[in-house]
């Protein structure tokens, strides 16, 4: 069975925080980025690969191919990263079993409203988070592992 140790929404994908704190916290040894734009951008993929510590695998898939690739992995401890909660909803709908979804970094941009501290979402993202919860998958806000996780139910998504 596929071992997913972290499913995290972070619009920065790979950055120092993910590389250090979350890998240590989860014991993950294989990062899977699910993002259509990144999967088609060879330059960005090279940059992402350079940011990954030695000994950690990296794969970057588009949303369509990701479910099969994730479910086929029976050996690694996967850290799945996506820029939006919609990606995780699509994975769930494609029969990827997630242990939960952590909302980490969703910065301010046009159309997004502040929902909690430095977490911003637009209407579609809020709907996706609610739909993930409706599928029985726990959603929490947690920027860093040392921070106490906050159930998304305690965040104002209206």
């Amino acid at each position: 069975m596929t071992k997913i140790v972290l499913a995290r929404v972070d619009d920065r994908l790979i950055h120092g925080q993910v590389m250090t704190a979350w890998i240590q916290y989860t014991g993950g040894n294989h990062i899977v980025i699910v993002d259509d734009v990144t999967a088609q951008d060879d330059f960005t993929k090279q940059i992402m690969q350079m940011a990954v510590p030695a000994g950690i695998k990296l794969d970057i898939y588009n949303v369509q191919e990701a479910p099969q690739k994730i479910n086929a992995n029976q050996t690694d401890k996967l850290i799945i990263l996506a820029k939006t909660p919609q990606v995780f909803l699509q994975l769930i709908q494609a029969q990827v079993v997630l242990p939960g979804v952590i909302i980490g970094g969703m910065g301010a941009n046009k159309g997004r409203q502040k929902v909690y501290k430095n977490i911003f979402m637009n209407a579609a993202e809020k709907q996706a988070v609610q739909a993930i919860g409706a599928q029985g998958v726990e959603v929490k806000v947690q920027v860093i592992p040392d921070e106490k996780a906050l159930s998304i139910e305690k965040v104002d998504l209206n």
Side-chain angles (χ1 to χ4, degrees):
M1 183 167 174
T2 301
K3 177 75 172 166
I4 298 170
V5 296
L6 178 65
R8 177 178 164 83
V9 177
D10 192 325
D11 52 22
R12 297 172 293 174
L13 297 174
I14 293 178
H15 54 91
Q17 196 173 336
V18 170
M19 292 302 93
T20 56
W22 285 107
I23 288 173
Q24 290 176 4
Y25 182 76
T26 63
N29 63 356
H30 187 165
I31 296 170
V32 175
I33 293 174
V34 182
D35 184 67
D36 289 343
V37 174
T38 305
Q40 293 180 9
D41 185 339
D42 290 335
F43 178 74
T44 301
K45 289 194 289 190
Q46 288 178 341
I47 298 296
M48 295 287 177
Q49 187 62 59
M50 289 189 295
V52 175
I56 304 294
K57 296 178 194 174
L58 172 67
D59 282 306
I60 302 171
Y61 301 125
N62 63 43
V63 175
Q64 184 177 347
E65 68 184 334
Q68 186 274 329
K69 299 285 190 178
I70 291 167
N71 285 335
N73 189 310
Q74 300 295 308
T75 57
D76 297 328
K77 294 179 182 176
L78 302 179
I79 294 173
I80 302 175
L81 303 175
K83 291 181 179 180
T84 67
Q86 291 95 316
V87 170
F88 287 110
L89 180 58
Q90 290 175 283
L91 293 177
I92 292 164
Q93 292 168 339
Q95 309 307 311
V96 174
V97 178
L98 300 175
V101 173
I102 302 284
I103 306 294
M106 295 181 71
N109 67 26
K110 187 173 182 173
R112 281 185 173 172
Q113 300 168 326
K114 185 175 183 174
V115 296
Y116 180 77
K117 292 187 180 178
N118 63 340
I119 307 294
F120 295 78
M121 292 184 195
N122 62 35
E125 292 163 338
K126 292 175 187 180
Q127 288 175 341
V129 166
Q130 291 168 332
I132 291 168
Q135 294 285 326
V137 177
E138 186 175 28
V139 181
K140 295 180 179 178
V141 173
Q142 188 175 14
V143 177
I144 57 173
D146 294 343
E147 177 182 275
K148 186 177 180 200
L150 177 69
S151 172
I152 199 69
E153 295 167 359
K154 296 184 178 174
V155 174
D156 183 13
L157 295 180
N158 296 319

